[in-house]
Amino acid sequence: MTQPPLARPLHSSQYRALVLGLLLLAYIFNFIDRTILSILGPAIRVELGLTSTQIGMLGGLYFALLYTLLGIPIARLAERHSRVNILTVSLVVWSAFTALCGMAGSFLTLALCRFGVGVGEAGCSPPAHSLISDYFPPHRRASALAIYGLGVPLGMMFGAAAGGWLAQTLGWRWAFVVVGLPGILLAVAFKLLVREPPRGHADQEMALAAGLPVEAPVPPAPWSIGHEAREIGSVVRALFGKWPVLHMALGITLVSFGLYGSGQFAPQYFVAAFGLDLTTVGLIIGLIGGVGASIGTLAGGFLADRLARRNAAWYALTPAIGLALCTPLYILAYTQANWQVAAALLLLPGLFQYTYLGPTFGVVQNSVDVRRRATATAVLFLFLNLIALGGGPPFTGWVIDQLAGVRFSHADLGGVWSLIGGWLGGRVSDAAGFATACPGGVAPEGSDVGLVTACRTALTDGTRGGLIVTFLFYAWASVHYFLAAIGMARHLASRT
């Protein structure tokens, strides 16, 4: 069944830009609230006496569990009901729980608040990706989703810079409150300004412009468990049953594993290695690293859309090349003896690493039908975040604890590469002894100079080594993106 051509687009380019800008703001708050724990981690660790593994659990698994498990049911609601309403409610929930993190008095209560943040944030990206796909046509989706994806580096940048300053000025508890509450005001603005678009509107608009017949939107089928299972199964087959999309999914999962793991403990490294205050660390991690990452995110989406006009394989090759280049640059930055040199070098790797965001999400959205787009994002995020967000920070924290334990008990080992080699070669790690002697990673007040030095050296070398091990996941991800280029053009051609 066809429908008559539209006299003009339902939405002006200015209005689309407004909607995309508001979605970007929501995603920025999403990542500020998700990642601020990393910059506040050193202060929380000392006050509550936590280990790196516990900090990793708070920043990873405890957030990821409900975030990922609730993503699919919320996405299925978004296929049938107002995506604007779902996003509005979600924004209120995660912002409120972020503020409540400031009230936590123990590891348990902080963990419960992180569960709450995860519940709210589960309703962000699946409906947002679906909305963007109804506002922007297929050949512009990687670019539009790259702009939305700017929420990742910008959220990390503002979270680190503002969080460091707030923690230094007001303390880590008030930092949670100050960054959490503005999200509730954004939710009100989003509800008032954003209209729910017709399903598949951008695809219809493009078809009409090309003089092609347009299929009328298909209403949602009556709800049933069987129908929902079939829809989810269809999305799973689309993402993991096609070679190019499968390797894009594996690639983004491995990138995210490295990103979440290293991002959680990069502030700890600069505090331990150079004795910097949290304001300075926030500027290094947020402002300097965020500038390169933001440029790379935009460049990845727009460059991939442009190059894909010649060959769609560039949707995979763009991130593949970027990740191959960023890996040695990160390792170089985190093996410097001078923090100013390390900070300057951090401008470079983000330019290449973050090229994966727009192309990956664009390919995923272009690989499924109109009423499966929110579900596709949720299924991808379930797979991605259970492994990457749930596993990345705890993995890096565990490696740091193990390497710190090796350094604490084997001071004869040389630099960080010898430390990693010694650990892999079977040197016994006294991680428990390090945690007991150095609670929170520092020597107890009044300890002798020898113990103070031993604790600081163990935490510094352990953190550096854990970060280097984690950066290697970027190189692994690059391999999968190169593999995704095989058959990409044929796959996307079959979807038009």
Side-chain angles (χ1 to χ4, degrees):
M1 176 181 178
T2 60
Q3 64 183 25
L6 301 174
R8 58 183 176 81
L10 292 180
H11 310 290
S12 67
S13 58
Q14 292 84 357
Y15 182 73
R16 294 183 195 202
L18 171 65
V19 172
L20 186 56
L22 288 172
L23 287 170
L24 169 59
L25 276 177
Y27 205 33
I28 289 172
F29 275 100
N30 181 293
F31 260 82
I32 289 175
D33 295 355
R34 184 187 309 187
T35 61
I36 191 173
L37 184 69
S38 64
I39 194 68
L40 303 182
I44 296 172
R45 175 175 178 157
V46 172
E47 181 172 329
L48 300 184
L50 307 182
T51 65
S52 291
T53 303
Q54 287 177 308
I55 291 292
M57 296 293 281
L58 289 170
L61 185 62
Y62 292 162
F63 170 86
L65 278 175
L66 292 180
Y67 174 70
T68 54
L69 294 177
L70 290 177
I72 290 180
I74 291 175
R76 295 308 303 161
L77 285 175
E79 308 290 18
R80 296 170 171 275
H81 303 289
S82 169
R83 293 160 288 185
V84 172
N85 288 343
I86 290 171
L87 264 164
T88 301
V89 172
S90 298
L91 188 49
V92 170
V93 171
W94 90 61
S95 299
F97 272 104
T98 296
L100 287 174
C101 285
M103 312 297 177
S106 67
F107 176 76
L108 176 60
T109 53
L110 190 54
L112 292 174
C113 290
R114 294 296 292 172
F115 275 121
V117 176
V119 170
E121 294 198 6
C124 181
S125 281
H129 283 196
S130 180
L131 281 171
I132 290 170
S133 295
D134 282 341
Y135 276 109
F136 295 90
H139 64 283
R140 294 180 57 197
R141 277 184 196 142
S143 301
L145 287 164
I147 293 174
Y148 173 76
L150 273 175
V152 177
L154 290 179
M156 290 180 170
M157 179 172 71
F158 291 131
W165 180 81
L166 288 169
Q168 192 79 22
T169 306
L170 302 176
W172 66 267
R173 296 182 181 280
W174 276 105
F176 275 121
V177 175
V178 171
V179 302
L181 293 182
I184 297 174
L185 298 177
L186 177 61
V188 175
F190 188 82
K191 174 60 179 173
L192 293 175
L193 295 174
V194 178
R195 298 191 296 270
E196 183 76 15
R199 304 278 173 168
H201 174 64
D203 301 81
Q204 298 167 23
E205 215 175 85
M206 188 179 74
L208 286 170
L212 300 174
V214 177
E215 295 292 327
V218 178
W223 187 92
S224 71
I225 294 177
H227 172 73
E228 296 303 307
R230 287 190 295 273
E231 288 292 288
I232 294 171
S234 177
V235 169
V236 170
R237 288 191 296 274
L239 295 184
F240 303 110
K242 301 291 184 181
W243 174 277
V245 192
L246 168 64
H247 284 284
M248 294 285 275
L250 291 173
I252 193 174
T253 299
L254 290 167
V255 176
S256 300
F257 191 97
L259 172 65
Y260 289 128
S262 61
Q264 184 67 54
F265 294 100
Q268 175 175 293
Y269 169 72
F270 280 97
V271 171
F274 305 111
L276 302 178
D277 59 65
L278 290 179
T279 301
T280 304
V281 172
L283 291 174
I284 294 171
I285 302 298
L287 189 58
I288 296 176
V291 168
S294 299
I295 295 171
T297 301
L298 282 178
F302 283 89
L303 185 63
D305 268 344
R306 185 176 184 84
L307 293 175
R309 296 173 190 172
R310 302 177 183 177
N311 189 331
W314 281 104
Y315 282 124
L317 292 175
T318 300
I321 295 169
L323 289 164
L325 293 173
C326 82
T327 304
L329 290 172
Y330 272 121
I331 294 174
L332 180 64
Y334 281 89
T335 50
Q336 297 301 309
N338 182 284
W339 73 263
Q340 290 93 338
V341 175
L345 287 172
L346 283 178
L347 278 169
L348 300 176
L351 292 171
F352 303 104
Q353 176 196 349
Y354 283 81
T355 53
Y356 75 94
L357 280 168
T360 305
F361 291 140
V363 167
V364 168
Q365 290 294 294
N366 289 340
S367 297
V368 296
D369 296 333
V370 169
R371 286 195 178 270
R372 293 171 179 164
R373 286 173 176 164
T375 306
T377 299
V379 169
L380 176 63
F381 277 22
L382 173 66
F383 176 76
L384 182 161
N385 285 314
L386 277 180
I387 296 173
L389 183 55
F395 170 81
T396 306
W398 177 79
V399 173
I400 290 171
D401 283 339
Q402 297 306 307
L403 290 174
V406 172
R407 171 60 75 210
F408 190 70
S409 54
H410 299 284
D412 58 303
L413 288 172
V416 66
W417 294 108
S418 297
L419 177 63
I420 295 172
W423 176 54
L424 295 176
R427 289 290 188 111
V428 176
S429 172
D430 189 14
F434 169 69
T436 301
C438 312
V442 297
E445 188 174 350
S447 299
D448 62 75
V449 175
L451 181 59
V452 171
T453 302
C455 289
R456 178 177 177 180
T457 301
L459 183 61
T460 298
D461 288 354
T463 305
R464 180 187 285 118
L467 290 173
I468 289 173
V469 170
T470 304
F471 292 141
L472 297 178
F473 282 86
Y474 297 150
W476 185 2
S478 174
V479 173
H480 284 287
Y481 276 107
F482 277 116
L483 292 172
I486 302 172
M488 178 64 75
R490 184 169 60 253
H491 166 70
L492 291 180
S494 70
R495 296 297 308 167
T496 58

